[in-house]
Amino acid sequence: MGDKAHTHPGAAGRAQAADHPTSVRNVVLVGHSGSGKTTLVEALALTAGAVNRAGRVEDGGTVSDYDDIEHRQQRSVQLSLVPLEWDGIKVNLLDTPGYADFVGELRAGLRAADAALFVVSASDGVDGTTRMVWDECAAVGMPRAIVITHLEAARADFEEMTRVCAETFGGDDPDAVLPLYLPLHGPEGPDGHAPVTGLTGLLSQKLFDYSTGERKESEPGEDQLPRMEEARGRLIEGIIAESEDETLMDRYLGGEQIDVKTLVEDLERAVARGVFFPVLAAAPATDGARQGLGTVELLELVTGGFPTPLEHGTPSVTTVDGTPRELKPCDPDAPLVAEVVKTSSDPYVGRISLVRVFSGTLRADQTVHVSGHGLADRGHEDHDVDERIGALSTPFGKQQRPVSHVIAGDLACVAKLSRAETGDTLSAKDDPLLVEPWDMPDPLLPLAIQAHSKPDEDKLSQGLSRLVAEDPTMRLEQNQDTHQVVLWCLGEAHADVALERLRSRYGVQVDVVPHRVSLRETFGGKAAGRGRHVKQSGGHGQFAICEIEVEPLPNGSGIEFVDKVVGGAVPRQFIPSVEKGVRAQAVKGVAAGHPLTDVRVTLLDGKAHSVDSSDAAFQTAGALALREAAADARIHLLEPVAEVSVLVGDDYVGSVMSDLSGRRGRVLGTEQSPGGRTLVKAEVPEIEIGRYAVDLRSLSHGTARFSRRYARHEPMPSNVAERVKEEARTAS
């Protein structure tokens, strides 16, 4: 790497459909918000000739024109595909959001890619989320490289940041994380800062000067050799340590000079196998420049060192009924298997699906089978239908360039897939298949909304269904207890984007209201009640009297109804009516409007009239009797309690446990986890963890994650219960 001659390819940099999987590289860019991922994508597109010097696409727009919300918020909020071409290889760059709220978009990018570029800012370092994503990639053996950006910052230090990356990402083998190039600094400015103007190739032993705006190669001076030799020796040892040629290390230690071609080939194989992780430097082009610093070297690594889709393989595939299915990896002639990795809506075209083809060939106007993944709990219905797709295209900014087909290993956009959602599988209609879904983060921040006006109410349902179709990390809940519409999100930024999309994309204005948890009521002791419903106002009257006794039951018992009427005081045909009335009132509640539970209601006595008694009259009497019993009894509020598991770095365990205790939580225990982390288990009232997704991120500096599961309802402390009851009385 670094010894090839490259010219500015102009329009040749515009990627079209690939003709074979070996001519495709799918690369996802990972890094924290502000690390420079999108800027790097634009710099690579300029170097490849996909955009002009002004950063404009030939037919209008810029490479970063994706979403109006992104422009308003000044940050990426969704996965974006930028295809380009370099040395005859189609490179699909998948730019992902760096903010933790949009980790679902990141996971989709990881699914669509065969290798990852971790973008690290020289001025900001590595955050906790980036470390966790690195571990995820390591678990599946995904090849990775590191790109250090923001070298123009006053305190930027490439060597120091390389050392940090080796410590952070290298684990037990920091020599697997080494630079391929060293920065070449120009003269110091008035502020004492020496700008980076080029790179020193450690394998090629060449200088690559970018100071004129185009890469120029030269020989190093004598004064530069000592610094180069030390780093070069360490790099060669790191490459040889991962070489498949077991004799190479002995030959090197014996004094043999290993030729550069052999080293480059071994380096590329080690990178593709995911055992060596090169560090590079990159910077955007200056005004008028045709190439950004390090972009040529980076494109060389991507095309030469990153694996082809053939090498990465295919996710697990089954038939629709769950029978495992073996497919030849990435074969354009095999049965069709493709996956929707992103869904978006265009006001003119309609729904557009970004698809990764794993097997077979997808053609425009083809009829395919759409299979869903069973995310009904998140508001995503199961799919098992045939659909005729529309046009195929490759995106670039806001432009869509049509293609006739997409082979295995490539990505493209599909129009008019009205039923398919993110995560769905596309396969041949006569051979339906299903791809194993990727891991979706669980949305844990509730956002209760209501339509702002009657016109908004009419459009709300359709707007919400479209919103969740685009984003499988969002869960839509119609809470039957609180009668609230709740969007479960990953964080505040995720919620803000959801509201903005409802407003600007679907024309629905909503109001955010306080989220309510599903409380319950129960009796604190035995109580009796008499329900009397007697009305006579001419004609057919109403007559029903019943007497009941209510007593509390153990947690989880529900409502139990017992008939102890003797002597026919309440005719047999009306006893179910009393029960129906009691249960209907229990659903409405007897104190603060929350459902009643965990009680036994015993019907003891009553009276009936031969003419005026009826089913409706005894239903009313049963409800009245329950309300009267509650009026003279202690009514306890029951609150839902969740089992909470928090995976957190050891440095923050104390803070997390203290915070949970402050939320009326009971810490049940801790378990050690790999990577210097601890799993804290606790039971916490749900009313206390409504914003825990946000608070935990702040508490742990973004390094912790948690899960929650409903455990049971239990009595609420009296002081909290009184506050809730008072709020209910005020609201009514």
Side-chain angles (χ1 to χ4, degrees):
M1 297 180 186
D3 55 355
K4 299 177 182 178
H6 294 280
T7 57
H8 189 61
R14 292 176 48 175
Q16 298 296 323
D19 57 2
H20 193 272
T22 55
S23 63
V24 179
R25 304 292 184 273
N26 298 309
V27 183
V28 61
L29 282 82
V30 178
H32 67 79
S33 184
S35 62
K37 297 184 299 299
T38 301
T39 303
L40 178 59
V41 168
E42 293 174 346
L44 293 171
L46 175 62
T47 296
V51 296
N52 60 28
R53 293 189 192 188
R56 308 294 296 183
V57 182
E58 186 177 291
D59 43 1
T62 67
V63 66
S64 56
D65 280 336
Y66 298 113
D67 193 312
D68 292 337
I69 297 174
E70 292 182 319
H71 287 293
R72 285 192 289 273
Q73 298 202 2
Q74 294 296 300
R75 63 182 169 197
S76 297
V77 300
Q78 63 178 356
L79 174 70
S80 302
L81 170 64
V82 177
L84 51 87
E85 187 174 317
W86 186 258
D87 280 348
I89 302 294
K90 181 182 181 184
V91 180
N92 289 316
L93 297 175
L94 293 151
D95 186 13
T96 64
Y99 200 67
D101 280 15
F102 307 105
V103 67
E105 301 282 327
L106 169 60
R107 297 273 174 82
L110 291 172
R111 179 53 163 260
D114 304 308
L117 280 177
F118 279 73
V119 183
V120 176
S121 169
S123 57
D124 297 332
V126 184
D127 71 338
T129 301
T130 305
R131 291 190 187 99
M132 287 191 290
V133 177
W134 181 277
D135 292 340
E136 288 184 25
C137 291
V140 297
M142 177 175 278
R144 284 147 282 159
I146 301 160
V147 185
I148 296 178
T149 59
H150 295 164
L151 293 173
E152 72 281 2
R155 292 185 297 276
D157 187 331
F158 179 83
E159 285 81 358
E160 173 61 19
M161 190 51 61
T162 299
R163 185 192 64 78
V164 170
C165 289
E167 287 184 356
T168 304
F169 301 134
D172 297 332
D173 188 11
D175 285 339
V177 181
L178 293 171
L180 301 184
Y181 304 87
L182 296 179
L184 184 64
H185 294 273
E188 288 188 2
D191 59 354
H193 177 63
V196 177
T197 58
L199 299 171
T200 302
L202 295 180
L203 292 183
S204 64
Q205 294 181 289
K206 303 288 185 182
L207 302 185
F208 304 102
D209 184 8
Y210 283 87
S211 60
T212 63
E214 292 215 33
R215 182 179 187 256
K216 294 183 178 179
E217 182 181 318
S218 63
E219 298 294 328
E222 290 293 328
D223 59 328
Q224 295 166 317
L225 291 176
R227 175 172 175 256
M228 181 190 299
E229 285 302 319
E230 180 183 351
R232 186 173 192 268
R234 190 178 176 198
L235 173 61
I236 291 174
E237 290 181 12
I239 294 171
I240 292 175
E242 303 298 343
S243 174
E244 295 176 328
D245 183 351
E246 297 179 357
T247 69
L248 204 57
M249 180 62 79
D250 291 336
R251 289 158 51 195
Y252 176 71
L253 294 177
E256 180 180 337
Q257 292 294 320
I258 310 300
D259 65 275
V260 172
K261 183 174 183 294
T262 299
L263 290 172
V264 169
E265 289 174 350
D266 272 357
L267 168 65
E268 291 177 343
R269 280 193 289 267
V271 171
R273 284 165 37 226
V275 295
F276 188 83
F277 316 105
V279 182
L280 298 92
T286 56
D287 291 343
R290 298 174 71 176
Q291 294 173 335
L293 183 142
T295 53
V296 170
E297 289 75 14
L298 188 51
L299 287 167
E300 285 180 2
L301 173 70
V302 167
T303 54
F306 279 169
T308 70
L310 280 168
E311 299 170 81
H312 190 232
T314 304
S316 298
V317 177
T318 67
T319 60
V320 175
D321 62 7
T323 304
R325 183 74 173 272
E326 291 293 330
L327 290 177
K328 187 178 178 181
C330 207
D331 182 359
D333 297 322
L336 175 66
V337 177
E339 189 171 31
V340 179
V341 294
K342 174 191 166 186
T343 308
S344 59
S345 297
D346 184 280
Y348 305 105
V349 181
R351 186 177 293 184
I352 298 176
S353 304
L354 177 62
V355 171
R356 162 75 192 256
V357 182
F358 289 108
S359 174
T361 299
L362 185 65
R363 302 184 186 280
D365 299 319
Q366 178 181 359
T367 298
V368 299
H369 187 81
V370 179
S371 302
H373 282 316
L375 294 173
D377 62 322
R378 299 192 183 189
H380 304 260
E381 63 179 15
D382 290 351
H383 296 137
D384 192 15
V385 297
D386 289 341
E387 260 199 281
R388 185 181 178 88
I389 66 174
L392 300 176
S393 59
T394 57
F396 205 88
K398 289 185 176 179
Q399 304 297 320
Q400 296 288 338
R401 294 167 178 162
V403 295
S404 61
H405 65 279
V406 187
I407 64 167
D410 205 357
L411 291 103
C413 289
V414 181
K416 298 182 180 178
L417 271 176
S418 59
R419 296 291 298 276
E421 299 182 359
T422 301
D424 282 355
T425 302
L426 309 183
S427 56
K429 63 177 183 178
D430 55 351
D431 189 14
L433 298 172
L434 189 63
V435 176
E436 180 184 24
W438 67 82
D439 183 30
M440 298 282 190
D442 195 16
L444 295 168
L445 180 69
L447 181 73
I449 58 174
Q450 62 185 24
H452 181 71
S453 63
K454 183 62 171 68
D456 293 311
E457 189 174 329
D458 296 337
K459 296 182 291 185
L460 181 60
S461 178
Q462 185 179 36
L464 288 173
S465 65
R466 290 181 177 179
L467 187 68
V468 297
E470 294 184 15
D471 189 353
T473 64
M474 189 173 292
R475 178 160 59 90
L476 176 62
E477 176 192 7
Q478 306 270 359
N479 192 296
Q480 299 302 312
D481 291 336
T482 64
H483 307 292
Q484 286 189 315
V485 176
V486 183
L487 278 175
W488 287 85
C489 306
L490 295 175
E492 289 182 308
H494 193 206
D496 290 343
V497 167
L499 295 176
E500 179 64 15
R501 283 182 175 158
L502 278 175
R503 185 192 65 78
S504 62
R505 189 174 290 176
Y506 305 120
V508 182
Q509 187 77 33
V510 298
D511 298 323
V512 178
V513 297
H515 175 250
R516 300 193 297 270
V517 301
S518 301
L519 301 178
R520 299 283 188 272
E521 300 172 355
T522 194
F523 278 62
K526 280 189 177 183
R530 185 171 189 266
R532 184 176 185 275
H533 183 63
V534 178
K535 288 189 176 181
Q536 188 68 49
S537 55
H540 201 288
Q542 299 180 52
F543 187 97
I545 298 174
C546 61
E547 296 181 6
I548 63 171
E549 181 183 72
V550 184
E551 57 187 315
L553 291 177
N555 185 280
S557 299
I559 301 289
E560 183 180 321
F561 185 84
V562 178
D563 169 27
K564 286 191 176 180
V565 174
V566 294
V570 177
R572 304 306 303 169
Q573 69 268 26
F574 293 134
I575 290 176
S577 303
V578 176
E579 180 178 359
K580 191 173 181 180
V582 166
R583 290 188 180 276
Q585 184 61 51
V587 170
K588 298 177 184 177
V590 293
H594 305 291
L596 180 70
T597 189
D598 298 339
V599 293
R600 177 185 292 121
V601 179
T602 303
L603 178 60
L604 300 174
D605 200 1
K607 292 182 181 179
H609 189 277
S610 58
V611 176
D612 292 342
S613 290
S614 64
D615 169 67
F618 271 100
Q619 283 190 47
T620 302
L624 290 171
L626 185 61
R627 291 208 297 268
E628 183 178 286
D632 297 328
R634 299 191 321 275
I635 302 298
H636 292 163
L637 280 187
L638 303 178
E639 60 181 341
V641 175
E643 294 178 0
V644 176
S645 297
V646 185
L647 186 62
V648 61
D650 292 343
D651 293 343
Y652 301 106
V653 170
S655 299
V656 166
M657 293 175 67
S658 176
D659 178 73
L660 290 172
S661 297
R663 298 172 186 269
R664 297 191 285 121
R666 295 183 294 273
V667 176
L668 304 179
T670 61
E671 298 176 10
Q672 283 301 122
S673 296
R677 292 183 290 182
T678 299
L679 183 67
V680 180
K681 295 185 176 181
E683 291 183 343
V684 191
E686 288 188 8
I687 202 170
E688 302 287 350
I689 54 174
R691 289 181 51 82
Y692 194 57
V694 177
D695 298 338
L696 179 62
R697 185 177 299 164
S698 175
L699 187 67
S700 66
H701 299 277
T703 61
R705 61 177 182 265
F706 81 105
S707 62
R708 56 184 282 181
R709 184 174 68 88
Y710 169 77
R712 61 188 174 277
H713 275 73
E714 63 180 36
M716 179 181 284
S718 58
N719 59 325
V720 181
E722 285 304 317
R723 187 179 73 239
V724 171
K725 291 177 182 177
E726 180 59 32
E727 290 172 354
R729 284 191 291 268
T730 302
S732 61

